[in-house]
Coordinates of all heavy atoms in Angstrom, one line a residue:
M1 N 173.1 66.2 85.6 CA 174.5 66.3 85.3 C 175.1 67.6 85.7 O 174.5 68.6 85.5 CB 174.8 66.0 83.9 CG 174.5 64.6 83.5 SD 175.0 64.2 81.8 CE 174.1 65.4 80.9
H2 N 176.2 67.6 86.3 CA 176.8 68.8 86.8 C 178.2 69.1 86.2 O 178.7 70.2 86.2 CB 176.9 68.9 88.3 CG 177.6 67.7 88.9 ND1 179.0 67.6 89.0 CD2 177.2 66.6 89.4 CE1 179.4 66.5 89.5 NE2 178.2 65.8 89.8
S3 N 178.8 68.0 85.6 CA 180.1 68.2 85.0 C 180.4 67.0 84.0 O 179.6 66.1 83.9 CB 181.2 68.2 86.1 OG 181.2 66.9 86.7
F4 N 181.5 67.2 83.2 CA 181.9 66.1 82.3 C 183.4 66.2 82.1 O 184.0 67.2 82.3 CB 181.1 66.2 81.0 CG 181.5 67.3 80.1 CD1 182.5 67.2 79.2 CD2 180.8 68.5 80.2 CE1 182.9 68.3 78.4 CE2 181.2 69.6 79.4 CZ 182.2 69.5 78.5
E5 N 183.9 65.0 81.6 CA 185.3 64.9 81.1 C 185.1 64.1 79.8 O 184.6 63.0 79.8 CB 186.1 64.1 82.1 CG 187.4 64.9 82.5 CD 188.2 64.1 83.5 OE1 188.6 63.0 83.3 OE2 188.4 64.7 84.6
F6 N 185.6 64.7 78.7 CA 185.4 64.1 77.4 C 186.8 63.9 76.8 O 187.5 64.8 76.5 CB 184.6 65.2 76.5 CG 184.2 64.6 75.2 CD1 182.9 64.0 75.1 CD2 185.0 64.6 74.1 CE1 182.5 63.5 73.9 CE2 184.6 64.1 72.9 CZ 183.3 63.6 72.8
R7 N 187.2 62.6 76.7 CA 188.5 62.3 76.2 C 188.5 62.1 74.7 O 187.6 61.4 74.2 CB 189.0 61.0 76.9 CG 190.4 60.7 76.4 CD 191.1 59.7 77.3 NE 192.5 59.4 76.8 CZ 193.2 58.5 77.2 NH1 192.8 57.8 78.3 NH2 194.4 58.3 76.7
M8 N 189.5 62.6 74.1 CA 189.7 62.5 72.6 C 191.2 62.1 72.4 O 192.0 62.9 72.2 CB 189.4 63.8 71.9 CG 188.1 64.4 72.2 SD 187.9 66.2 71.8 CE 188.9 66.9 73.1
H9 N 191.4 60.8 72.4 CA 192.7 60.2 72.2 C 193.7 60.7 73.2 O 193.6 60.3 74.4 CB 193.2 60.4 70.8 CG 194.5 59.6 70.5 ND1 194.6 58.2 70.7 CD2 195.7 59.9 70.0 CE1 195.8 57.8 70.3 NE2 196.4 58.8 69.9
D10 N 194.7 61.6 72.9 CA 195.7 62.1 73.8 C 195.2 63.5 74.5 O 196.1 64.1 75.1 CB 197.0 62.4 73.1 CG 197.7 61.1 72.7 OD1 197.4 60.0 73.4 OD2 198.5 61.0 71.8
Y11 N 194.0 63.8 74.3 CA 193.5 65.1 74.8 C 192.1 64.9 75.4 O 191.5 64.0 75.2 CB 193.4 66.2 73.7 CG 194.7 66.3 72.9 CD1 194.8 65.7 71.7 CD2 195.8 67.0 73.4 CE1 196.0 65.8 70.9 CE2 196.9 67.1 72.7 CZ 197.1 66.4 71.5 OH 198.2 66.5 70.8
F12 N 191.8 65.9 76.3 CA 190.4 65.9 76.8 C 190.0 67.3 77.2 O 190.8 68.2 77.4 CB 190.2 64.8 77.9 CG 190.9 65.1 79.2 CD1 190.2 65.8 80.2 CD2 192.1 64.7 79.4 CE1 190.8 66.0 81.4 CE2 192.8 64.9 80.6 CZ 192.1 65.6 81.7
C13 N 188.7 67.4 77.3 CA 188.1 68.6 77.7 C 187.2 68.3 78.9 O 186.6 67.2 79.0 CB 187.2 69.3 76.6 SG 188.1 69.9 75.2
K14 N 187.2 69.2 79.8 CA 186.3 69.0 81.0 C 185.6 70.4 81.4 O 186.2 71.4 81.1 CB 186.9 68.4 82.2 CG 187.9 69.2 82.9 CD 188.5 68.4 84.0 CE 189.4 69.2 85.0 NZ 189.8 68.5 86.1
A15 N 184.5 70.3 82.0 CA 183.8 71.5 82.4 C 182.8 71.1 83.5 O 182.4 70.0 83.6 CB 183.1 72.1 81.2
T16 N 182.4 72.1 84.2 CA 181.3 72.0 85.1 C 180.2 73.0 84.8 O 180.5 74.1 84.2 CB 181.7 72.3 86.6 OG1 182.1 73.6 86.7 CG2 182.8 71.3 87.0
V17 N 179.0 72.7 85.0 CA 177.8 73.6 84.8 C 178.0 74.8 85.6 O 177.7 75.9 85.2 CB 176.5 72.9 85.0 CG1 175.3 73.8 84.9 CG2 176.4 71.7 84.0
E18 N 178.5 74.7 86.8 CA 178.6 75.8 87.7 C 179.5 76.9 87.2 O 179.2 78.1 87.3 CB 179.2 75.3 89.1 CG 179.2 76.3 90.2 CD 179.7 75.7 91.5 OE1 179.0 74.8 92.0 OE2 180.7 76.2 92.0
T19 N 180.7 76.5 86.7 CA 181.6 77.5 86.2 C 181.3 77.9 84.7 O 181.6 79.0 84.3 CB 183.1 77.0 86.2 OG1 183.3 75.9 85.3 CG2 183.5 76.6 87.6
G20 N 180.8 76.9 83.9 CA 180.5 77.2 82.5 C 181.8 77.4 81.7 O 181.7 77.8 80.6
V21 N 182.9 77.0 82.2 CA 184.2 77.1 81.5 C 184.7 75.8 81.0 O 184.8 74.8 81.7 CB 185.3 77.7 82.4 CG1 186.6 77.8 81.8 CG2 184.9 79.1 83.0
L22 N 185.0 75.7 79.7 CA 185.5 74.5 79.0 C 187.0 74.6 79.1 O 187.6 75.5 78.7 CB 185.1 74.4 77.6 CG 185.6 73.2 76.8 CD1 184.9 72.0 77.3 CD2 185.3 73.4 75.3
E23 N 187.6 73.6 79.8 CA 189.1 73.5 80.0 C 189.6 72.4 79.1 O 189.1 71.3 79.0 CB 189.4 73.2 81.5 CG 188.9 74.3 82.4 CD 189.2 73.9 83.9 OE1 189.5 72.7 84.1 OE2 188.9 74.7 84.7
A24 N 190.7 72.7 78.4 CA 191.4 71.8 77.5 C 192.7 71.3 78.1 O 193.4 72.0 78.7 CB 191.7 72.4 76.2
Y25 N 192.9 70.0 78.1 CA 194.1 69.3 78.6 C 194.7 68.4 77.6 O 194.1 67.9 76.7 CB 193.7 68.5 79.8 CG 193.2 69.3 81.1 CD1 192.0 69.8 81.1 CD2 194.1 69.5 82.1 CE1 191.6 70.5 82.2 CE2 193.7 70.2 83.2 CZ 192.5 70.7 83.3 OH 192.1 71.4 84.4
G26 N 196.0 68.2 77.8 CA 196.7 67.1 77.1 C 197.1 66.1 78.1 O 197.1 66.3 79.3
L27 N 197.4 64.9 77.6 CA 197.9 63.8 78.5 C 199.4 63.7 78.4 O 200.0 63.8 77.3 CB 197.2 62.5 78.0 CG 195.7 62.4 78.2 CD1 195.2 61.1 77.7 CD2 195.3 62.5 79.6
E28 N 200.0 63.4 79.6 CA 201.4 63.3 79.7 C 201.7 61.8 80.1 O 201.1 61.4 81.0 CB 202.0 64.2 80.7 CG 203.4 64.2 80.9 CD 203.9 65.1 82.0 OE1 203.9 64.7 83.1 OE2 204.2 66.3 81.6
S29 N 202.5 61.2 79.3 CA 202.9 59.8 79.7 C 204.1 59.8 80.6 O 205.0 60.5 80.5 CB 203.3 59.0 78.4 OG 202.1 58.9 77.6
S30 N 204.1 58.9 81.5 CA 205.1 58.7 82.5 C 205.8 57.3 82.2 O 205.1 56.3 82.0 CB 204.5 58.7 83.9 OG 205.6 58.3 84.8
D31 N 207.1 57.3 82.2 CA 207.8 56.0 81.9 C 208.2 55.3 83.1 O 209.2 54.6 83.2 CB 209.0 56.3 81.0 CG 208.6 56.7 79.6 OD1 207.6 56.2 79.1 OD2 209.4 57.5 79.0
S32 N 207.4 55.5 84.2 CA 207.7 54.9 85.5 C 207.6 53.4 85.4 O 207.2 52.8 84.4 CB 206.9 55.5 86.6 OG 205.5 55.0 86.4
H33 N 207.8 52.8 86.5 CA 207.6 51.3 86.6 C 206.2 50.9 86.5 O 205.9 49.7 86.3 CB 208.2 50.8 88.0 CG 207.4 51.3 89.2 ND1 207.5 52.6 89.6 CD2 206.4 50.7 89.9 CE1 206.6 52.7 90.6 NE2 206.0 51.6 90.8
K34 N 205.2 51.8 86.5 CA 203.8 51.5 86.4 C 203.4 51.5 84.9 O 202.2 51.5 84.6 CB 203.0 52.4 87.2 CG 203.2 52.2 88.7 CD 202.2 53.0 89.5 CE 202.5 52.7 91.0 NZ 201.4 53.3 91.8
A35 N 204.3 51.5 84.0 CA 204.0 51.3 82.6 C 203.1 52.4 82.0 O 201.9 52.2 81.7 CB 203.5 49.9 82.2
K36 N 203.6 53.5 81.8 CA 203.0 54.6 81.0 C 201.6 55.0 81.6 O 200.6 55.0 80.8 CB 202.9 54.3 79.6 CG 204.3 54.1 79.0 CD 204.2 54.1 77.5 CE 205.6 54.0 76.9 NZ 205.8 54.5 75.6
L37 N 201.6 55.4 82.8 CA 200.3 56.0 83.3 C 200.1 57.4 82.6 O 201.1 58.1 82.3 CB 200.4 56.3 84.8 CG 200.5 55.0 85.7 CD1 200.8 55.4 87.1 CD2 199.2 54.2 85.6
T38 N 199.0 57.8 82.4 CA 198.7 59.1 81.8 C 198.1 60.0 82.9 O 197.3 59.7 83.6 CB 197.7 59.0 80.6 OG1 196.6 58.3 81.1 CG2 198.4 58.2 79.5
N39 N 198.6 61.2 82.9 CA 198.2 62.3 83.9 C 197.8 63.5 83.1 O 198.5 63.9 82.2 CB 199.3 62.6 84.8 CG 199.8 61.4 85.6 OD1 199.0 60.7 86.2 ND2 201.1 61.1 85.6
P40 N 196.7 64.1 83.4 CA 196.3 65.3 82.8 C 197.3 66.5 83.1 O 197.7 66.6 84.2 CB 194.9 65.7 83.3 CG 194.8 64.9 84.6 CD 195.8 63.7 84.5
V41 N 197.7 67.2 82.1 CA 198.6 68.3 82.3 C 197.9 69.5 81.5 O 197.7 69.4 80.3 CB 200.0 68.1 81.7 CG1 200.8 69.3 81.8 CG2 200.6 66.9 82.3
F42 N 197.6 70.6 82.2 CA 197.0 71.8 81.6 C 198.1 72.4 80.7 O 199.1 72.7 81.1 CB 196.5 72.7 82.7 CG 195.7 73.8 82.1 CD1 194.5 73.6 81.4 CD2 196.2 75.1 82.1 CE1 193.8 74.6 80.9 CE2 195.4 76.2 81.6 CZ 194.2 75.9 80.9
D43 N 197.7 72.7 79.5 CA 198.6 73.3 78.6 C 198.2 74.8 78.5 O 197.1 75.2 78.1 CB 198.4 72.7 77.2 CG 199.4 73.3 76.2 OD1 199.0 74.3 75.6 OD2 200.4 72.8 76.0
T44 N 199.1 75.6 78.9 CA 198.9 77.1 78.9 C 199.2 77.8 77.6 O 198.9 78.9 77.5 CB 199.6 77.8 80.1 OG1 201.1 77.5 79.9 CG2 199.2 77.2 81.4
S45 N 199.8 77.1 76.7 CA 200.1 77.7 75.4 C 198.8 77.8 74.6 O 198.1 76.8 74.5 CB 201.2 77.0 74.6 OG 200.7 75.7 74.3
G46 N 198.5 79.0 74.1 CA 197.2 79.3 73.4 C 197.0 78.4 72.2 O 195.8 77.9 72.0
G47 N 198.0 78.0 71.5 CA 197.8 77.3 70.3 C 197.2 75.9 70.5 O 196.2 75.5 69.9
L48 N 197.8 75.1 71.3 CA 197.3 73.7 71.6 C 196.0 73.8 72.3 O 195.1 73.0 71.9 CB 198.3 72.9 72.4 CG 198.0 71.5 72.7 CD1 197.7 70.7 71.4 CD2 199.0 70.8 73.6
R49 N 195.8 74.6 73.2 CA 194.5 74.7 73.9 C 193.4 75.0 73.0 O 192.4 74.5 73.0 CB 194.7 75.8 75.0 CG 193.5 75.8 75.9 CD 193.9 76.6 77.2 NE 193.1 77.8 77.2 CZ 193.3 78.8 77.9 NH1 194.3 78.8 78.7 NH2 192.6 79.9 77.8
D50 N 193.7 76.0 72.1 CA 192.6 76.3 71.1 C 192.3 75.2 70.1 O 191.2 74.9 69.7 CB 193.1 77.5 70.3 CG 193.1 78.8 71.1 OD1 192.4 78.8 72.2 OD2 193.7 79.8 70.7
E51 N 193.3 74.4 69.7 CA 193.2 73.3 68.8 C 192.4 72.2 69.5 O 191.5 71.6 68.9 CB 194.5 72.7 68.4 CG 195.2 73.6 67.4 CD 196.5 73.0 66.9 OE1 196.7 71.8 66.9 OE2 197.4 73.8 66.5
I52 N 192.6 71.9 70.8 CA 191.8 70.9 71.5 C 190.4 71.3 71.6 O 189.5 70.5 71.4 CB 192.4 70.7 72.9 CG1 193.8 70.1 72.8 CG2 191.5 69.7 73.7 CD1 194.6 70.1 74.1
R53 N 190.2 72.6 71.9 CA 188.8 73.1 72.0 C 188.1 73.0 70.7 O 186.9 72.6 70.6 CB 188.7 74.5 72.5 CG 189.1 74.6 74.0 CD 189.1 76.1 74.4 NE 189.3 76.2 75.8 CZ 189.3 77.2 76.5 NH1 189.2 78.4 75.9 NH2 189.5 77.3 77.8
Q54 N 188.8 73.3 69.6 CA 188.2 73.2 68.2 C 187.8 71.7 67.9 O 186.8 71.4 67.3 CB 189.1 73.8 67.2 CG 188.5 73.8 65.8 CD 187.3 74.6 65.7 OE1 187.2 75.7 66.1 NE2 186.2 74.0 65.1
L55 N 188.7 70.8 68.3 CA 188.4 69.4 68.1 C 187.2 69.0 68.8 O 186.3 68.3 68.2 CB 189.6 68.6 68.5 CG 189.5 67.0 68.5 CD1 189.3 66.6 67.0 CD2 190.8 66.4 69.1
F56 N 187.0 69.4 70.0 CA 185.8 69.2 70.8 C 184.6 69.7 70.0 O 183.6 69.0 69.9 CB 185.9 69.8 72.2 CG 184.7 69.6 73.0 CD1 184.4 68.4 73.7 CD2 183.8 70.7 73.2 CE1 183.3 68.3 74.4 CE2 182.7 70.6 74.0 CZ 182.4 69.4 74.6
R57 N 184.7 70.9 69.5 CA 183.6 71.5 68.8 C 183.2 70.7 67.5 O 182.0 70.7 67.1 CB 183.9 73.0 68.4 CG 183.9 73.9 69.6 CD 184.2 75.3 69.2 NE 184.4 76.1 70.4 CZ 185.5 76.7 70.8 NH1 186.6 76.5 70.1 NH2 185.5 77.4 71.9
W58 N 184.2 70.1 66.9 CA 183.9 69.3 65.7 C 183.3 68.0 66.0 O 182.5 67.4 65.3 CB 185.2 69.1 64.9 CG 185.7 70.3 64.2 CD1 184.9 71.4 63.7 CD2 187.0 70.5 63.7 NE1 185.7 72.3 63.1 CE2 187.0 71.8 63.1 CE3 188.2 69.9 63.8 CZ2 188.1 72.3 62.5 CZ3 189.3 70.4 63.3 CH2 189.3 71.6 62.6
I59 N 183.7 67.4 67.2 CA 183.2 66.1 67.5 C 181.8 66.1 68.0 O 181.0 65.2 67.7 CB 184.2 65.5 68.6 CG1 185.5 65.1 68.0 CG2 183.6 64.3 69.3 CD1 186.6 64.7 68.9
V60 N 181.5 67.0 68.9 CA 180.1 67.0 69.5 C 179.0 66.9 68.5 O 178.1 66.1 68.7 CB 180.0 68.3 70.5 CG1 178.5 68.4 70.9 CG2 180.9 68.1 71.7
P61 N 178.9 67.7 67.5 CA 177.8 67.5 66.5 C 177.8 66.2 65.9 O 176.7 65.8 65.3 CB 178.0 68.6 65.5 CG 179.0 69.6 66.1 CD 179.8 68.8 67.0
N62 N 178.8 65.4 65.9 CA 178.9 64.1 65.2 C 178.9 62.9 66.2 O 179.4 61.9 65.8 CB 180.2 64.1 64.3 CG 180.1 65.2 63.3 OD1 179.3 65.1 62.4 ND2 180.9 66.2 63.3
L63 N 178.4 63.1 67.4 CA 178.4 62.0 68.4 C 177.4 60.9 67.8 O 176.5 61.2 67.1 CB 177.9 62.5 69.7 CG 178.8 63.5 70.4 CD1 178.1 64.1 71.6 CD2 180.1 62.7 70.9
A64 N 177.7 59.7 68.3 CA 176.9 58.6 67.9 C 175.4 58.8 68.4 O 175.2 59.5 69.4 CB 177.4 57.3 68.6
K65 N 174.5 58.2 67.7 CA 173.0 58.3 68.0 C 172.7 57.7 69.4 O 171.7 58.0 70.0 CB 172.2 57.7 66.9 CG 172.4 58.3 65.6 CD 171.9 59.7 65.5 CE 172.1 60.2 64.1 NZ 172.1 61.7 64.0
T66 N 173.6 56.8 69.9 CA 173.4 56.2 71.1 C 173.6 57.1 72.3 O 173.3 56.7 73.5 CB 174.3 54.9 71.3 OG1 175.6 55.3 71.1 CG2 173.9 53.9 70.2
V67 N 174.3 58.2 72.1 CA 174.5 59.2 73.2 C 173.2 59.8 73.6 O 172.4 60.3 72.8 CB 175.5 60.3 72.8 CG1 175.6 61.3 73.9 CG2 176.8 59.7 72.4
P68 N 172.8 59.7 74.9 CA 171.5 60.2 75.4 C 171.3 61.7 75.1 O 172.3 62.5 75.1 CB 171.6 60.0 76.9 CG 172.6 58.9 77.1 CD 173.6 59.1 76.0
D69 N 170.1 62.1 74.8 CA 169.8 63.5 74.4 C 170.2 64.5 75.5 O 170.7 65.6 75.1 CB 168.3 63.6 74.1 CG 167.9 62.9 72.9 OD1 168.7 62.7 72.0 OD2 166.7 62.6 72.7
D70 N 170.1 64.2 76.8 CA 170.5 65.2 77.8 C 172.0 65.3 77.8 O 172.5 66.5 78.0 CB 170.0 64.7 79.2 CG 170.4 63.3 79.6 OD1 170.8 62.5 78.8 OD2 170.3 63.1 80.9
V71 N 172.8 64.3 77.6 CA 174.2 64.4 77.5 C 174.6 65.2 76.3 O 175.4 66.1 76.3 CB 174.9 63.0 77.5 CG1 176.4 63.1 77.2 CG2 174.6 62.2 78.8
R72 N 174.0 64.9 75.1 CA 174.3 65.6 73.9 C 174.0 67.1 74.1 O 174.8 67.9 73.7 CB 173.4 65.0 72.8 CG 173.7 65.5 71.4 CD 172.7 64.9 70.4 NE 172.8 63.5 70.4 CZ 173.6 62.8 69.7 NH1 174.5 63.4 68.9 NH2 173.6 61.4 69.7
A73 N 172.9 67.4 74.7 CA 172.5 68.8 74.9 C 173.5 69.6 75.8 O 173.9 70.7 75.5 CB 171.1 68.9 75.5
M74 N 174.0 68.9 76.8 CA 174.9 69.5 77.7 C 176.3 69.8 77.0 O 176.8 70.9 77.1 CB 175.2 68.7 78.9 CG 176.2 69.2 79.9 SD 176.5 68.1 81.2 CE 177.7 69.0 82.2
L75 N 176.7 68.8 76.2 CA 178.0 68.9 75.5 C 177.9 70.0 74.4 O 178.8 70.8 74.2 CB 178.4 67.6 74.9 CG 178.8 66.5 75.8 CD1 179.0 65.2 75.1 CD2 180.0 66.9 76.7
K76 N 176.7 70.1 73.8 CA 176.5 71.2 72.7 C 176.6 72.5 73.4 O 177.1 73.5 72.7 CB 175.2 70.9 72.0 CG 175.2 69.9 71.0 CD 173.9 69.8 70.2 CE 174.0 68.7 69.2 NZ 172.7 68.5 68.5
G77 N 176.1 72.7 74.6 CA 176.2 74.0 75.3 C 177.6 74.5 75.4 O 177.9 75.7 75.4
F78 N 178.5 73.6 75.6 CA 179.9 73.9 75.8 C 180.6 74.0 74.5 O 181.7 74.6 74.4 CB 180.6 72.9 76.8 CG 180.2 73.1 78.2 CD1 179.2 72.4 78.8 CD2 180.9 74.1 78.9 CE1 178.9 72.5 80.1 CE2 180.5 74.3 80.2 CZ 179.5 73.5 80.8
A79 N 180.1 73.4 73.4 CA 180.8 73.4 72.1 C 180.5 74.7 71.4 O 181.1 75.0 70.3 CB 180.3 72.2 71.3
M80 N 179.7 75.6 71.8 CA 179.4 76.8 71.1 C 180.4 77.9 71.3 O 181.2 78.0 72.1 CB 178.0 77.4 71.6 CG 176.9 76.4 71.3 SD 175.4 77.0 72.0 CE 174.5 77.2 70.4

């Protein structure tokens, strides 16, 4: 695995092993004719970004047992 995108309701985190940087995003709804498509929008305000990252850190240790060990280990590396 070289990267991941982890969605948490209206937010998600993504990262690549190459950069080692966990990026936090929010979803923006569009009221276009295509019925509320969601597009990632990077939030530059420190508060929301920090909250999304903290949510990711809380979720990763509590993943379902069905998540493969290699995936779990990769996510834990970014949750630290």
Side-chain angles (χ1 to χ4, degrees):
M1 291 186 302
H2 56 81
S3 63
F4 70 88
E5 232 177 60
F6 191 94
R7 184 164 177 189
M8 305 164 288
H9 190 54
D10 289 337
Y11 307 102
F12 70 94
C13 290
K14 71 179 190 176
T16 64
V17 172
E18 186 177 299
T19 64
V21 177
L22 179 67
E23 298 174 352
Y25 290 79
L27 294 176
E28 180 181 86
S29 294
S30 171
D31 290 328
S32 72
H33 67 283
K34 293 189 178 184
K36 298 194 178 200
L37 292 175
T38 55
N39 299 308
V41 177
F42 186 67
D43 182 273
T44 55
S45 65
L48 180 58
R49 191 165 108 194
D50 292 342
E51 286 182 27
I52 296 168
R53 287 179 176 179
Q54 183 61 49
L55 178 60
F56 177 77
R57 288 182 187 112
W58 287 336
I59 289 173
V60 169
N62 296 295
L63 291 171
K65 301 291 183 205
T66 57
V67 175
D69 290 339
D70 57 341
V71 173
R72 186 183 303 275
M74 180 183 181
L75 295 175
K76 281 184 180 179
F78 285 96
M80 299 177 117

